[in-house]
């Protein structure tokens, strides 16, 4: 019996909605990363993008456990000497809550062109509304 390899043209994509309200950041991110990579499908092929689209709503209401809201820091560098900037989780949530989830999911995807293509299928919104109702997304239940 030959091993099945999915072809990029024959991949059927579905849309999922994850409500991040009162959910833990890492659990939402890992579930989204699994779906984006296609690991929940039987036709998963590591070198082909077989994943589905993920919409995360209520990103501004996501939680972290323990003391991470004050201690967790996000870093970026401008490329110039002395250009290291940092902000805590609380500051990042006030400025741009969508980027917190995008950053967490990006850390769980491959650091290749395939991983970047999979990351583009993630749509994150701070509020409960999203513009993707035409795609008929399925609501994905996260464990309580």
């Amino acid at each position: 019996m030959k091993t099945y390899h999915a072809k990029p043209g024959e991949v059927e994509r579905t849309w999922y909605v994850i409500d991040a309200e009162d959910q833990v950041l890492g659990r939402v991110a890992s579930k989204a990363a699994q779906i984006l990579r296609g690991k929940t499908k039987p036709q998963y092929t590591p070198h082909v993008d077989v994943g589905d689209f993920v919409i995360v709503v209520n990103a501004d209401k996501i939680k972290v456990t323990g003391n991470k809201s004050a201690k967790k820091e996000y870093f970026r560098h401008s490329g110039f000497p002395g250009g290291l900037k940092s902000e805590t989780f609380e500051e990042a949530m006030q400025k741009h809550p969508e980027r917190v989830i995008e950053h967490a999911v990006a850390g769980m995807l491959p650091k290749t062109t395939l991983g970047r293509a999979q990351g583009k299928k993630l749509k994150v919104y701070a509020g409960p509304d999203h513009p993707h109702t035409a795609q008929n997304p399925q609501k994905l239940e996260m464990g309580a």
Side-chain angles (χ1 to χ4, degrees):
M1 181 157 193
K2 293 200 172 211
T3 304
Y4 173 78
H5 291 289
K7 278 66 166 187
E10 61 188 33
V11 176
E12 290 184 24
R13 303 200 192 281
T14 55
W15 288 67
Y16 293 100
V17 175
I18 297 176
D19 188 2
E21 186 171 1
D22 296 328
Q23 298 291 328
V24 179
L25 173 64
R27 306 218 177 202
V28 170
S30 64
K31 189 66 173 173
Q34 282 180 341
I35 295 168
L36 290 170
R37 290 204 65 197
K39 288 198 154 201
T40 58
K41 292 180 166 183
Q43 59 266 29
Y44 170 69
T45 308
H47 63 278
V48 178
D49 186 6
V50 295
D52 297 322
F53 286 85
V54 177
I55 304 163
V56 180
V57 294
N58 289 323
D60 55 347
K61 296 186 178 101
I62 200 145
K63 304 281 186 242
V64 287
T65 59
N67 199 17
K68 290 189 204 95
S69 60
K71 298 282 185 185
K72 184 172 178 61
E73 287 192 299
Y74 295 98
F75 296 96
R76 64 186 188 277
H77 198 283
S78 66
F80 292 98
L84 183 66
K85 308 276 190 208
S86 68
E87 63 184 359
T88 65
F89 175 80
E90 291 171 339
E91 294 168 347
M93 286 298 287
Q94 289 172 358
K95 287 188 208 169
H96 33 72
E98 300 91 3
R99 278 196 230 158
V100 171
I101 295 178
E102 290 168 0
H103 184 271
V105 173
M108 298 179 186
L109 292 176
K111 280 59 173 181
T112 60
T113 51
L114 178 65
R116 286 188 288 278
Q118 291 167 342
K120 288 180 183 171
K121 295 187 315 242
L122 175 68
K123 317 292 183 193
V124 185
Y125 300 99
D129 301 322
H130 62 85
H132 305 288
T133 52
Q135 281 76 23
N136 296 324
Q138 301 174 15
K139 185 160 175 49
L140 197 69
E141 292 296 326
M142 295 290 295

